[in-house]
């Protein structure tokens, strides 16, 4: 069964189904209850599931994230909402030193089946402290899985995938996508964690991306057709683990690589992907790989500056064209 | 207090009120974007507070800081230009509504991470103490900040080191859509503050006179070296949390009840001779001027996008 | 209390004492490496506490947790093997001294980030409340943890949600080399805890009987659903913070003064008939056995280095 | 004037000189005073400079780091010691959202002349929560400078360099190096922030590294000589900014690159360096670049496992030899 819905509705549905299916699932975070979620994702859930399962927390990111870890150890299946990635730094010690670490340092005794959701990304003129894209950065941490749903299908499916995982999973929802629309096939078998998806097959160059940049890349790919450039666009879906296999296959086909991500450039996930392609498919490359990331500044408020700082379809087009010229 | 001061207080509160109402208008015209958090209803705190400070004192505020910035004396033109993201803005347009900064008036933002400003204020006060400067640092935050670890750490440091900080908690009963009773096991915030051995008090935040008096006393105590102080001002925001808030979490009746305590009305009831009409006209002009200034402002050149990341890139 | 119990308490405290003395010996022989934080002097707390708990209850501790692990009933052999980094250790050798874990006795570490365990304990208690399990979660930490933001956030959550947690603060007056008076504006920690509306009390942590009684009462209160409780146990570590500590920050005289309150001596003074010699012999055997067990333990294969990062890699 | 001293003594001397030179300089952190510093760096300073300038803080990483920022805004020159990088996560919000951001978001009004020091690295069997190497990860944050002194000279000089900088500088001291010895030339002009140093010139391959790995790389280079491999070893010194110029010059000479760092591999600074070489010197490469990082696990306690997880000279040698075979 397929239906058209927004990304927000897809996440909502994913959450609702998870709550209905498994009593151990509960949602906890700032303003998830009475307010309805800062992006209106859990609007009405408090009425439907009650305050025992939809828990408004105080502004205490570290403690309620840690409490999520503890509840997961206790057999529950908590979904912690950190509102936005900007506030997640306050919970980072719990995420790195407990959630990601407990299983290993206990010698395999204590796994942490915790799901942490947060909105990510700039583009809404929210300026320096509210526009981070740190999902690629989080992918540095062993013990975590890092998911970046871009499509309606993934916005929905990844909730279930994450909850089925016995270990901590972070889901980064692109704030710019909540109102985007698309098709959800409720019968389709979900593509597992760790698998990338070729969103558009092409033979001339590979564009690797995820989250809201996926749609910019697809738009760019369309613009490139009349220019005689046939771009393959891959939605990474998961930043940890990365799907090396799908990436290398595509590189072996196109021999040219452009990576687009909304993190700051130095130390971006784009760098990691470049490193892996260098390691695993160096001799397939016809030209240096290119990356388009966000300018290395705290995002400024004015629209023209924010636009100039973030990746956009026109910049992808320009870089792709340049990349085709090189050899 | 006399009529002159009452007039001044009224005028400043009215400036904030009308300025923000204009901002709402400009927001719906898409002149202002991003988040916009209104201070309407809470004006008495900013005005009473800033009146009691000296120019040498420092102010650290939150994302809900238009009122404090105006009361502190930052030029409304510069603030409006900031809301427009223009170079003439008080943060050169880079900050927007949530990040008003002004070196001249020692206004240190404009911080959008809840409780993130408290440690900074503690540090500023530490530097004053170290340099033997007789200045006070004021740190403003909401009831929501009280649950954060940084609140706890900062209050302890300030008390432990006897620092010249005035903590100002604007308790408007809600953090976004979450009522205080859902977030604190002890809802009397001043009691919580007292547990750090900080002199602490609840004050009516709708009464500009009461606010001003409390701060005046506190500031002179602090200047004498008597360590930090803490006020919990009971107040209410009449508007939504930001422009994206459906306000499902509180009753209209509750809002109406609080509107009866509107600080402007309250002050006028007490001082009937305040010349409201005169101020309305004056302020309308000031705001028009500010809007024109902002409209005519300059957009930063895109070439300068990456400026200001490091000091050597700052235009002199 | 009767003699039987006094004997049991003594025996357990002695086990901890001798076990750790052996660890020091093994440390200088480089059998044990990394950090080693001794509990010597504080044994009454672990022993009194664990006596009052049931097997269903959970324990979260710090890096100074040998005493608690032993008192909780983890096999000394498994603990010693862990100190050796052997596969037979209670954390399969991966954790070492600071990270003792044991699923069987619900011992959740062994956390080396100060105050990092408090949120976990709160979460465990939350899960118990949600699942209607009548269990208590005990969270142990030092006086140093009190200044951390997570202490504040966790106590508030526990109180706000009426969770079945028992907070146990081992106040040994120092966090590494920094005395409590240099770190807290309010040095009475139980008062601080009370400010969250948590029932809280200072107890003599050198008196195993007092500890045990306090916990017994608390645990039955908590099981009745009366929310969290907090004990501040006044104690002292007789040894350095870790093996790398020159102990410049405290007077020898102070240490000697506290040694007079040695929990083993204290208990023996009260119960003269405790059969010390018998226990010394018994325990010497237990420790010898543990060392032999650890010596003969297996080193993890290097091929398995990256195991246990994700659950699908955990050997069944 | 030259003298032989330990890394610890060099840091001590750098701090002492800075304190003596400028009254605005003070040291603040856990156990810097009465205890003498967790690595005995500030032993005796409390007596020499008094409790006003050597400040023992409570365990409140976020607040005292933020207080350092505030004091810097107030005209002081604070040196905040975060003891070890493992605890710095608790202060990360202050570091990223305030220290690194204030100048930009205030439109250039408020710079933050703050120095933050911390020990970094594994190798002492301190296990999962006490063995992080996150300096490369911190280099992702625009607005910061990230220094990694390896030599005695830098251990000393970088204190002064960092204090002279008007913006926030993070200094990562390798815990494994405090007892290492070397020569300090007190007359030598310090090499500025942002400049790498060629520690051993060579023509066959470039080994890029920093911190305690530098000495492992130098040892490996020696071992490689009889094998007929002449390795150039570069001490990066600063991870933000990176010295692209020195890196690319060396690549243009040797055409082969091995990067060694002690961070976890995915998203490491090694990946960023690979990305830059790919972007700026792709056609100079004769073979895929290689990297040796730490295994992607929280470090386990036992020595043999920790050793297996960390970079070592023998592994560098093995990788270098393999790299010379490829083309
Ligand atoms: C650390 C952090 N967490 C969450 C948010 C999102 N947020 C912005 S304002 C706010 C509520 C703050 O309430 P309060 O402190 O009472 O201030 P008020 O808005 O009422 O003035 C929240 C949760 C944030 N900005 N920072
Ligand atoms: C967050 C954090 N900061 C700093 C440290 C380093 N450290 C380890 S133990 C300790 C002192 C803790 O003292 P306390 O909580 O009183 O426990 P005690 O060692 O006295 O049992 C410090 C500062 C740490 N482990 N974690
Ligand atoms: Mg509020
Ligand atoms: Mg202690």
């Amino acid at each position: 069964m397929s239906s058209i819905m927004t990304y927000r509705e897809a996440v909502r549905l994913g959450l609702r189904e998870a709550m209905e299916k498994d009593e151990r699932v509960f949602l906890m975070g700032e303003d998830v209850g009475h307010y309805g979620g800062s992006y209106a994702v859990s609007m009405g859930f408090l009425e439907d599931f009650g305050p025992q399962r939809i828990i408004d927390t105080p502004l205490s990111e570290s403690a309620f994230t840690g409490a999520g870890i503890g509840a997961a150890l206790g057999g529950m299946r908590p979904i912690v909402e950190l509102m936005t990635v900007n506030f997640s730094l306050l919970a980072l010690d719990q995420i790195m030193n407990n959630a990601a670490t407990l299983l290993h340092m206990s010698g395999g005794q204590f796994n942490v089946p915790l799901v942490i959701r947060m909105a990510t990304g700039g583009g809404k003129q929210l300026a320096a402290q509210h526009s981070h894209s740190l999902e690629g950065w989080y992918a540095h941490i062993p013990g975590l899985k890092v998911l970046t749903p871009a499509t309606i299908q993934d916005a929905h499916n990844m909730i279930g995938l994450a909850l089925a995982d016995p270990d901590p999973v972070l889901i980064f929802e692109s704030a710019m996508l909540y109102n985007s629309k698309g098709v959800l096939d409720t019968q389709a078998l979900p593509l597992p964690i760790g698998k990338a998806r070729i969103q558009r097959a092409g033979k001339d160059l590979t564009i690797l991306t995820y989250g809201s940049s996926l749609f910019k890349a697809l738009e760019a790919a369309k613009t490139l057709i009349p220019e005689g450039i046939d771009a393959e666009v891959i939605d990474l879906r998961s930043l940890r683990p990365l799907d090396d296999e799908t990436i290398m296959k595509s590189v072996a086909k196109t021999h040219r690589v452009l990576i687009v991500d909304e993190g700051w450039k130095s130390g971006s996930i784009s760098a990691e992907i470049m490193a892996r392609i260098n390691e695993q498919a160096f001799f397939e490359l016809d030209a240096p790989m290119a990356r388009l990331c966000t300018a290395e500044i705290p995002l400024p408020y004015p629209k023209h500056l924010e636009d100039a700082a973030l990746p956009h379809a026109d910049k992808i087009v320009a870089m792709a064209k340049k990349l085709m010229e090189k050899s | 207090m006399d009529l002159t001061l009452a007039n001044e207080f009224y005028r400043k509160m009215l400036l904030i009120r009308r300025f923000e109402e204009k901002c709402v208008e400009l927001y719906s015209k898409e002149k202002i974007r991003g988040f916009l958090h209104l201070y309407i209803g809470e004006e008495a705190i900013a005005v009473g507070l800033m009146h009691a400070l000296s120019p040498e004192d420092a102010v650290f505020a939150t994302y809900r800081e238009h009122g404090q910035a105006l009361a502190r004396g930052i030029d409304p033109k510069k603030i409006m230009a900031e809301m427009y993201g223009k170079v003439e803005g008080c943060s050169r347009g880079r900050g927007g509504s949530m990040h008003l900064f002004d070196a001249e008036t020692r206004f240190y933002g404009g911080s959008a991470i809840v409780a993130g400003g408290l440690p900074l204020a503690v540090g500023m006060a530490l530097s004053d103490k170290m340099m033997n400067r007789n200045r006070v640092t004021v740190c403003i935050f909401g009831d929501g900040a009280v649950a954060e670890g940084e609140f706890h750490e900062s209050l302890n440091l300030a008390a432990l080191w006897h620092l010249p900080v005035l903590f100002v908690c604007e308790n408007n009963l809600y953090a976004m859509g979450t009522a205080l009773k859902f977030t604190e096991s002890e809802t009397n915030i001043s009691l919580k503050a007292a547990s750090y051995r900080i002199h602490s008090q609840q004050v009516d935040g709708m009464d500009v006179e009461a606010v001003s008096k409390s701060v005046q006393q506190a500031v002179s105590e602090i200047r004498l070296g008597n360590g930090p102080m803490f006020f919990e001002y009971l107040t209410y925001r009449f508007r939504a949390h930001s422009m994206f808030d459906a306000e499902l979490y509180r009753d209209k009746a509750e809002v109406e009840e609080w509107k009866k305590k509107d600080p402007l009305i309250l002050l006028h009831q007490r001082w009937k001779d305040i010349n409201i009409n005169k101020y309305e006209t004056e302020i309308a002009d000031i705001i028009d001027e500010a809007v024109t200034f902002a409209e005519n402002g300059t957009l930063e050149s895109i070439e300068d996008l990456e400026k200001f990341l490091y000091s050597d890139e700052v235009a002199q």
Side-chain angles (χ1 to χ4, degrees), chain A residues 101-182:
Chain A
T101 302
L102 276 162
L103 180 66
H104 189 270
M105 77 179 168
S106 69
Q109 287 177 89
F110 294 117
N111 65 309
V112 180
L114 170 68
V115 176
I116 303 180
R117 293 171 48 239
M118 53 191 124
T120 187
K124 289 176 172 288
Q125 290 190 251
L126 302 184
Q129 295 178 330
H130 274 58
S131 305
H132 298 314
S133 289
L134 298 174
E135 53 283 355
W137 206 49
Y138 271 101
H140 180 58
I141 306 173
L144 299 183
K145 291 177 184 160
V146 175
L147 308 186
T148 53
T151 63
I152 302 305
Q153 193 73 36
D154 277 340
H156 171 269
N157 290 356
M158 281 180 175
I159 305 281
L161 285 171
L163 282 166
D165 199 286
D167 299 312
V169 179
L170 271 50
I171 304 181
F172 290 88
E173 297 165 8
S174 287
M176 293 302 285
L177 292 181
Y178 282 119
N179 292 327
S180 69
K181 279 194 176 172

Side-chain angles (χ1 to χ4, degrees), chain B residues 27-307:
Chain B
Y27 198 89
S28 48
K29 288 188 189 162
E30 307 202 357
K31 297 286 188 181
I32 299 173
R33 298 275 74 196
F35 279 153
L36 183 70
H37 303 91
L38 302 177
Y39 197 61
I40 291 175
E42 310 186 18
E43 296 92 340
I45 303 173
V47 170
L49 165 63
M50 297 304 169
H51 176 72
L53 298 187
S54 306
E56 315 87 66
D57 299 331
V59 179
F60 288 81
T62 71
Y63 49 86
R64 194 182 299 287
E65 87 284 36
H66 311 145
Q68 291 128 14
L70 287 163
R72 181 62 178 165
I74 307 181
D75 187 336
K77 290 201 291 291
K78 284 170 73 177
I79 298 176
M80 191 58 87
E82 190 58 36
M83 313 292 276
Y84 271 68
K86 299 290 180 77
V87 169
E88 291 78 7
C90 60
S91 307
R92 212 187 150 94
R94 302 240 164 184
S97 159
M98 300 202 290
H99 302 300
L100 303 177
F101 285 87
D102 185 55
E104 214 170 300
T105 57
R106 302 203 70 225
F107 197 85
Y108 290 90
S111 174
I113 303 294
V114 171
L118 277 84
L120 304 190
V122 166
M124 179 60 77
L126 176 64
S127 78
D128 285 337
K129 189 173 181 189
M130 286 180 142
M131 292 186 153
N132 288 313
R133 290 180 301 224
N134 198 4
R135 314 194 295 198
V136 173
T137 298
V138 176
C139 183
I140 305 160
F141 50 89
D143 48 294
V146 175
E148 290 281 6
E150 287 189 318
F151 171 88
H152 174 70
E153 296 183 1
S154 300
L155 262 67
N156 182 42
L157 285 188
L160 184 68
W161 295 339
H162 300 288
L163 299 179
V165 197
L166 173 60
F167 293 104
V168 169
C169 179
E170 299 177 330
N171 180 2
N172 61 13
L173 299 174
Y174 293 89
M176 275 186 70
T178 304
L180 191 62
K181 63 172 182 260
F182 297 125
T183 64
E184 289 294 343
S185 59
E186 169 59 74
T187 51
N188 184 323
I189 293 171
S190 73
L191 281 185
K192 291 188 76 72
S195 74
Y196 302 88
R197 296 181 168 267
I198 295 180
H199 178 90
S200 157
Q201 208 181 306
Q202 264 184 348
V203 178
D204 180 356
M206 305 309 263
D207 178 350
V208 64
E209 201 178 338
V211 173
S212 177
K213 267 198 193 139
S214 64
V215 177
Q216 240 149 14
Q217 269 178 14
V219 159
S220 52
E221 282 291 320
I222 294 172
R223 283 194 217 288
L224 289 173
N226 292 334
M229 303 196 70
F230 189 105
F231 290 117
E232 175 192 359
Y233 292 110
L234 299 169
T235 186
Y236 201 79
R237 66 171 153 70
F238 294 173
R239 302 297 184 99
H241 168 73
S242 74
M243 305 304 285
F244 299 108
D245 171 5
E247 272 186 273
L248 303 173
Y249 49 83
R250 60 182 192 183
D251 277 348
K252 289 243 159 60
E254 182 185 284
V255 182
E256 290 316 311
E257 207 48 49
W258 274 93
K259 279 190 178 166
K260 290 183 194 152
K261 302 183 208 160
D262 185 322
L264 288 147
I265 298 176
L266 230 70
L267 186 67
H268 188 217
Q269 276 167 356
R270 238 179 266 161
W271 299 86
K272 308 256 187 260
D273 294 338
I274 290 173
N275 198 337
I276 296 188
N277 290 340
K278 183 182 134 199
Y279 295 134
E280 287 283 12
T281 325
E282 257 184 56
I283 283 165
D285 288 349
I286 290 173
I287 287 168
D288 281 351
E289 231 187 304
V291 173
T292 309
F293 180 81
E295 286 280 350
N296 295 333
T298 326
L299 287 177
E300 182 93 84
S301 153
I302 285 177
E303 267 118 78
D304 289 341
L305 174 66
E306 305 199 12
K307 257 196 185 165

Side-chain angles (χ1 to χ4, degrees), chain A residues 169-304:
Chain A
V169 179
L170 271 50
I171 304 181
F172 290 88
E173 297 165 8
S174 287
M176 293 302 285
L177 292 181
Y178 282 119
N179 292 327
S180 69
K181 279 194 176 172
V183 179
L184 177 74
D185 181 345
T186 46
Q187 247 80 66
L189 220 70
L191 194 61
I193 291 178
K195 286 275 159 221
R197 184 193 273 112
I198 301 175
Q199 279 288 348
R200 181 190 189 281
K203 59 179 196 332
D204 294 333
L205 95 153
T206 299
I207 304 180
L208 298 162
T209 187
Y210 68 86
S212 65
S213 297
L214 173 64
F215 302 98
K216 301 175 185 175
L218 288 170
E219 194 190 323
K222 246 192 236 164
T223 315
L224 288 167
I225 302 174
E227 311 263 352
I229 300 175
D230 182 17
E232 176 145 308
V233 179
I234 293 180
D235 177 4
L236 294 165
R237 298 183 68 247
S238 157
L239 304 185
R240 186 178 190 103
L242 280 168
D243 182 357
D244 289 0
E245 198 188 326
T246 302
I247 295 171
M248 301 313 151
K249 261 194 204 157
S250 179
V251 176
K253 181 166 73 166
T254 66
H255 312 294
R256 284 168 206 265
V257 176
L258 171 60
I259 311 165
V260 183
D261 88 75
E262 292 199 9
W264 291 310
K265 185 154 137 182
S266 297
S268 56
I269 191 76
S270 292
E272 175 59 25
I273 296 167
M274 284 183 169
R276 292 189 186 202
I277 295 173
N278 155 80
E279 287 165 330
Q280 300 172 40
F282 179 75
F283 295 105
E284 296 289 353
L285 292 171
D286 282 350
M289 299 169 274
R291 57 180 162 165
L292 177 59
C293 303
T294 290
E296 302 197 44
I297 44 170
L299 280 198
Y301 161 68
K303 176 145 182 51
H304 70 299

